Amino acid sequence: MKLRVGRFVSFGAALFVAFGVSMHARAQEDFSAQTHQIFELTNQDREARGLQPLQWNTSLAQAAQAHAERMAAEDDLSHQYPGEPSVAQRTAQAGAHFQAVAENIASGYSARGIESEWMHSTPHRTNILDPRMNALGVGLVERRGTLFAVEDFADASGAFSPGQVESQVGRLLRQDGIDPSAPRAAAALACSSDGGYPKGETGKLVVRFDTGDLSQLPAQIQTLIRSGSYHRAAVAACPGGRQGSFTTYKVALVLY
């Protein structure tokens, strides 16, 4: 058996699966059954490890199907071909709303074989078993006896309110030894200061950032606060975060 594994990228990984099963032509109606089989097997793998099952998402499935068709036409595996939008852009254009997105791709000869090899590949298994993900769409195309498969995963959680954003960022700051109890007004003023330092502010540093992932602070922020130079912070969720397909938040910090 030959196995070709592509480079892991931030939104997933690529995998070629070659199994010794018959390569007779499949009728179009078989694809929906095999697509459903990949979805069910993915949830079985999650449930076997105590994770919540993923919900089928039509928008993700549309994006996955379109990319599977592109892979079949190219007769190759890639998360993004020249001129093609990124995974996040493709799923957003299909109408998906999410805070995080990931993708598995593969080609092989059976739905069960593809899912099995994904589970035996660390980056693919990580996507399947990611506890943050709660939605899945699957695309499948047959070309000359080979199946081209795409799984698009998403954290389709609802958007956080400004108060929830500030609470979560404060929690993350506390984990790194920073007290986030400084008056919020200072950070709120930093939101509207157009990149400058708020007039009259006595903090050591003002930081503004955009993020779609509230499970952790951006790496640059972590480096700053772990330097030992700061001990308190004011936190404010700023207007202007995007609550569309890919939810993002704007945050201002004043570090003391």
Side-chain angles (χ1 to χ4, degrees):
M1 181 181 75
K2 283 189 173 182
L3 181 68
R4 180 164 61 86
V5 181
R7 179 177 64 87
F8 176 73
V9 297
S10 60
F11 287 128
L15 179 70
F16 179 79
V17 185
F19 274 83
V21 299
S22 61
M23 295 176 58
H24 61 278
R26 295 174 172 86
Q28 182 63 41
E29 56 267 23
D30 290 337
F31 296 156
S32 60
Q34 294 194 76
T35 299
H36 181 73
Q37 185 180 22
I38 289 177
F39 176 73
E40 290 296 325
L41 289 170
T42 297
N43 273 334
Q44 287 175 23
D45 288 329
R46 286 176 63 89
E47 291 173 338
R49 290 156 179 82
L51 297 170
Q52 290 295 313
L54 301 167
Q55 299 299 309
W56 181 263
N57 185 289
T58 302
S59 296
L60 291 174
Q62 291 175 352
Q65 183 64 28
H67 191 62
E69 292 171 1
R70 179 67 183 268
M71 291 198 307
E74 299 282 348
D75 196 18
D76 191 17
L77 298 180
S78 176
H79 288 281
Q80 186 175 11
Y81 296 98
E84 184 185 34
S86 68
V87 177
Q89 291 170 324
R90 293 199 309 270
T91 50
Q93 288 170 2
H97 296 263
F98 49 82
Q99 293 190 54
V101 65
E103 181 173 85
N104 283 348
I105 61 177
S107 62
Y109 302 132
S110 74
R112 185 173 293 276
I114 287 171
E115 176 66 20
S116 175
E117 287 301 320
W118 274 334
M119 284 298 292
H120 284 86
S121 166
T122 298
H124 301 83
R125 184 173 64 251
T126 297
N127 285 341
I128 290 171
L129 303 181
D130 189 337
R132 299 174 303 167
M133 300 301 176
N134 55 26
L136 173 64
V138 180
L140 195 65
V141 173
E142 184 269 344
R143 183 177 186 271
R144 293 201 295 266
T146 298
L147 295 175
F148 290 83
V150 177
E151 286 188 315
D152 282 341
F153 304 84
D155 171 5
S157 302
F160 289 110
S161 68
Q164 289 173 320
V165 172
E166 292 167 8
S167 177
Q168 176 60 14
V169 172
R171 188 176 300 115
L172 295 172
L173 288 169
R174 277 192 292 272
Q175 290 175 2
D176 281 316
I178 303 294
D179 174 8
S181 65
R184 178 188 179 278
L189 187 61
C191 286
S192 58
S193 60
D194 298 324
Y197 203 81
K199 185 177 180 179
E201 180 49 53
T202 59
K204 295 180 179 179
L205 183 68
V206 172
V207 179
R208 304 168 187 83
F209 62 92
D210 293 359
T211 183
D213 181 7
L214 289 175
S215 67
Q216 60 183 354
L217 295 170
Q220 300 94 323
I221 307 299
Q222 292 182 29
T223 299
L224 280 172
I225 63 179
R226 292 172 183 173
S227 68
S229 300
Y230 312 102
H231 304 286
R232 294 181 69 224
V235 183
C238 305
R242 187 153 58 91
Q243 306 301 320
S245 296
F246 203 153
T247 304
T248 61
Y249 306 97
K250 299 176 81 67
V251 179
L253 304 177
V254 178
L255 300 173
Y256 300 86

